[in-house]
Amino acid sequence: LENFTSAIYEGKIFRSIGNSAIITICAVALIVIAGAFAAYPLARSKTRLNGGIRTFVLGIMMVPPLSILVSLYSVLVSISGINHYWGLILTLVTFELPTAIFLYTNFISSLPNALDEAAAIDGCGPVRTFFCIILPQLKPVTASVVILTGIHCWNDYQFSLYMLQSPKLRTIPLAIASYFSQTTSNLNAAAAAALLAILPPVIAFLFLQKYLICQSLHKQFNLG
């Protein structure tokens, strides 16, 4: 129990959990909203331009984030984004959004076009069709996007290390890493902090797992 006491009072792990929660929730919300909005026209309109955009999105997914870290840091410095939540949130959204667009596009493509045609006959425009017909069908893939991108944002270390240099803004990976240095290390307290840090993602997965099961069954049905 002394290790947990050290993690809570000396390591300020709850403050780090709060910082990670703010960053993760804001980033995931933006990723889900922007990803769903962008994926709907890409999935429904099979034009050459949209095909090129989908290829461009896949290309962004292959870019190693560390390869542009220096230029990215310079841009954030110029717009005063260092040591601010929004700077890291904007960066995480930029790198996680292609994954969300890719997943949403494939899922919406599996939905029958008859849904859009029936909505158009009833007088619905594209925007109303998306909100009233398509959006309610996206719960399974949204759960997948929330978990995949949320875990990446929660565990982010490389961007947080350079963009959140203030101790008060330290996220969970930085808090755990602070227990290790070139001269000393506190493995027991770090393990206690890590145990506390994994509780929120585990709880979120328990609430969202039924939607993941639904998506798996949906894929099997389409493949069949």
Side-chain angles (χ1 to χ4, degrees), residues 189-212:
L195 181 60
L196 294 174
I198 66 173
L199 292 180
V202 170
I203 294 173
F205 175 78
L206 292 177
F207 281 101
L208 297 175
Q209 63 176 341
K210 64 178 180 179
Y211 296 109
L212 293 177

Side-chain angles (χ1 to χ4, degrees), residues 1-203:
L1 296 179
E2 294 179 357
N3 298 319
F4 289 95
T5 302
S6 175
I8 293 173
Y9 293 102
E10 297 178 9
K12 307 293 184 182
I13 189 63
F14 285 152
R15 185 174 64 185
S16 299
I17 290 176
N19 292 333
S20 293
I22 293 173
I23 293 171
T24 301
I25 292 173
C26 294
V28 170
L30 293 174
I31 291 169
V32 168
I33 294 173
F37 284 170
Y40 179 58
L42 293 178
R44 284 301 192 235
S45 181
K46 306 294 184 179
T47 63
R48 181 176 299 180
L49 176 60
N50 285 347
I53 294 175
R54 294 180 64 176
T55 303
F56 177 74
V57 170
L58 290 176
I60 295 177
M61 295 174 61
M62 301 177 186
V63 176
L66 290 179
S67 64
I68 60 173
L69 181 59
V70 176
S71 57
L72 180 62
Y73 182 84
S74 300
V75 171
L76 288 176
V77 169
S78 64
I79 62 176
S80 301
I82 303 299
N83 286 330
H84 292 284
Y85 288 133
W86 65 266
L88 181 58
I89 291 172
L90 182 62
T91 302
L92 293 175
V93 170
T94 301
F95 283 96
E96 297 297 334
L97 188 58
T99 301
I101 295 176
F102 176 75
L103 293 175
Y104 275 119
T105 301
N106 290 336
F107 189 88
I108 295 175
S109 297
S110 66
L111 299 177
N113 292 327
L115 295 175
D116 300 68
E117 296 172 356
I121 292 175
D122 291 336
C124 293
V127 176
R128 188 176 180 184
T129 300
F130 174 78
F131 281 103
C132 297
I133 306 299
I134 302 300
L135 189 60
Q137 309 294 326
L138 302 181
K139 291 181 179 179
V141 68
T142 299
S144 299
V145 171
V146 168
I147 290 178
L148 292 176
T149 61
I151 291 297
H152 290 164
C153 296
W154 187 266
N155 293 332
D156 176 72
Y157 176 80
Q158 55 190 5
F159 292 132
S160 301
L161 179 63
Y162 293 98
M163 300 175 188
L164 298 179
Q165 301 173 1
S166 174
K168 294 182 179 180
L169 300 177
R170 190 167 57 184
T171 58
I172 288 175
L174 299 181
I176 296 175
S178 65
Y179 288 103
F180 302 96
S181 65
Q182 295 181 353
T183 57
T184 60
S185 62
N186 191 346
L187 182 60
N188 296 331
L195 181 60
L196 294 174
I198 66 173
L199 292 180
V202 170
I203 294 173

